[in-house]
Amino acid sequence: LVAKKWQERVEAFAEATKEISIGNQSIIAACERGLVEMLSMTNPKVVEAGLKLCEELCKCEELPSSAVPTLSNKLLEALSGNTRVVESLCGNFVLLALRWKAPIVAKEVVGFISTVRSADRPGVKGLALKQAGGAVSVLEALLREFGPDEARLSPVSGAVCKLLGDTDKGLKEKCYSYFEEAQR
């Protein structure tokens, strides 16, 4: 999973995806640990293979419930990628939520937004800005799939409201999009 050559890494991801689908616990644990690195690669073929691996991990029947918070946080850390990565990860959060109850996953995402926001008081910048925007997109995907009641998400989430004070236009737009989805 950490080969230097991208072709070897893609092959390793494909093999790990097969192993996850049959419930290999050691591969599941190794993938959990290396998830952020897998999805932060610059080679699109490696990222695509990593996304497939991530999806299989989120669907995995053998994933213990105690691993859901850790996996959620690893996925949130990886939200700094390009739009394709963020969209795919939003889908993975929905898969996790379908399997492990939406409120548990939503709580992890809201907690992450609060942590990212408090780490950079005057405004969210750089990597944290991308992660915060991605996390708001995840909340919006959870709202769309489950609605505010089932996901136990407030239409006026305090964590998202705090992000509205940021100066970044893109982040504000993601927050407004979240609020629009919450009002549907």
Side-chain angles (χ1 to χ4, degrees), residues 69-120:
T70 304
L71 180 57
S72 293
N73 281 318
K74 294 292 184 187
L75 289 170
L76 287 162
E77 287 176 40
L79 282 170
S80 59
N82 63 35
T83 304
R84 165 81 179 95
V85 171
V86 171
E87 286 173 2
S88 181
L89 290 176
C90 286
N92 286 327
F93 271 100
V94 170
L95 286 172
L96 263 183
L98 285 168
R99 181 134 170 64
W100 299 107
K101 303 199 185 321
I104 295 169
V105 176
K107 182 180 175 189
E108 293 295 326
V109 178
V110 169
F112 181 82
I113 291 174
S114 299
T115 303
V116 166
R117 179 68 177 111
S118 65
D120 216 18

Side-chain angles (χ1 to χ4, degrees), residues 103-179:
I104 295 169
V105 176
K107 182 180 175 189
E108 293 295 326
V109 178
V110 169
F112 181 82
I113 291 174
S114 299
T115 303
V116 166
R117 179 68 177 111
S118 65
D120 216 18
R121 288 269 175 220
V124 186
K125 295 181 179 118
L127 179 63
L129 175 68
K130 289 181 178 183
Q131 290 173 329
V136 173
S137 296
V138 168
L139 288 179
E140 186 178 348
L142 291 173
L143 274 176
R144 195 172 17 262
E145 185 69 27
F146 300 100
D149 293 336
E150 191 176 338
R152 292 195 196 135
L153 280 169
S154 166
V156 190
S157 169
V160 178
C161 285
K162 288 178 183 173
L163 292 176
L164 279 173
D166 198 85
T167 57
D168 185 79
K169 184 179 174 184
L171 183 57
K172 283 184 179 184
E173 287 174 4
K174 286 182 187 288
C175 293
Y176 289 130
S177 181
Y178 167 84
F179 292 128

